[in-house]
Amino acid sequence: MPAPGKPHSTLAIVVPVKGFASAKDRLSSSLSPQDRESLARRLATRVLTVACAIPDAIVIVVSDDDEVLEWSHSFGAIGVRQSRAGLNGAVSDARDEASRRGCDHVLVTHGDLVDPTSLVALCGSLDRGSVTLVPDRHLDGTNVLALPAAIEFDTHYGKGSFRAHLDEATRRGIAAHVVEDARLALDVDEPADLDLLTES
């Protein structure tokens, strides 16, 4: 497990995580508050377990929830208190932390991936000179985004983020590499996605 702030780490893996008790509200028609909290914690644990085992990377968990930040330390991750609003703000906070720690590349992954194991291979094959995008299974959201730390690049998380991130790369004149990965494409947002958990 990589030690927090390891000096020779050049890749930062960023995992934004909402407070478990308030996460997954779009599943409220199918799961109780306790079950939603348990699911959010279980999925995030999967992602952190994989991410923190990737050699020569540091893992940054960004959240506005004290419990999540304390939880992240048990994996050897760096906890960053979110200061800017929304998911895009959280990612900006984490990117700033990665730059302060001397990382030259940043990979942002959602904390609700059903099967994050492909992150290992992806991190080993990143083109450090371009933006890498892994869309969700609907080709709508961006489940994983990797980019050089030093470039100017605005994130556009939310509905249609995959296309928006491609457009951002084009606008900035930065090459974009799309990776369609069947495992990383699966996340849990809507009640219909719960079926994915029984298949994993």
Side-chain angles (χ1 to χ4, degrees):
M1 181 178 295
K6 189 163 53 176
H8 65 272
S9 296
T10 60
L11 174 65
I13 300 174
V14 170
V15 189
V17 180
K18 290 179 64 175
F20 297 127
S22 59
K24 299 299 166 196
D25 53 351
R26 282 186 281 177
L27 301 178
S28 58
S29 62
S30 300
L31 297 178
S32 69
Q34 295 79 11
D35 287 341
R36 295 199 306 273
E37 179 176 357
S38 175
L39 174 62
R41 185 186 297 271
R42 187 166 82 249
L43 293 173
T45 294
R46 290 183 185 181
V47 173
L48 261 287
T49 299
V50 171
C52 287
I54 293 174
D56 300 326
I58 63 170
V59 179
I60 298 172
V61 172
V62 57
S63 181
D64 61 2
D65 184 89
D66 288 336
E67 179 191 1
V68 167
L69 295 175
E70 182 176 350
W71 164 86
S72 71
H73 295 156
S74 67
F75 292 87
I78 298 159
V80 170
R81 163 67 64 172
Q82 180 176 346
S83 64
R84 284 172 270 199
L87 180 53
N88 292 302
V91 169
S92 293
D93 288 337
R95 287 175 65 187
D96 288 348
E97 180 68 19
S99 294
R100 282 194 293 270
R101 290 178 177 271
C103 296
D104 62 19
H105 212 76
V106 177
L107 180 146
V108 182
T109 177
H110 289 325
D112 63 351
L113 302 183
V114 174
D115 182 357
T117 53
S118 293
L119 282 174
V120 179
L122 181 67
C123 288
S125 63
L126 288 173
D127 178 350
R128 297 297 183 95
S130 68
V131 170
T132 301
L133 298 167
V134 182
D136 65 14
R137 64 192 177 115
H138 306 293
L139 300 181
D140 180 76
T142 308
N143 282 4
V144 181
L145 166 67
L147 68 167
I151 66 171
E152 295 290 331
F153 189 94
D154 296 328
T155 58
H156 301 278
Y157 286 103
K159 187 172 178 58
S161 70
F162 173 55
R163 175 53 56 185
H165 286 140
L166 281 176
D167 290 345
E168 176 73 12
T170 299
R171 185 173 73 85
R172 299 282 188 180
I174 305 165
H177 179 52
V178 176
V179 176
E180 294 190 38
D181 185 286
R183 291 175 176 170
L184 298 179
L186 304 181
D187 58 349
V188 180
D189 288 322
E190 306 290 346
D193 298 333
L194 292 172
D195 291 339
L196 301 173
L197 297 172
T198 62
E199 300 168 7
S200 65

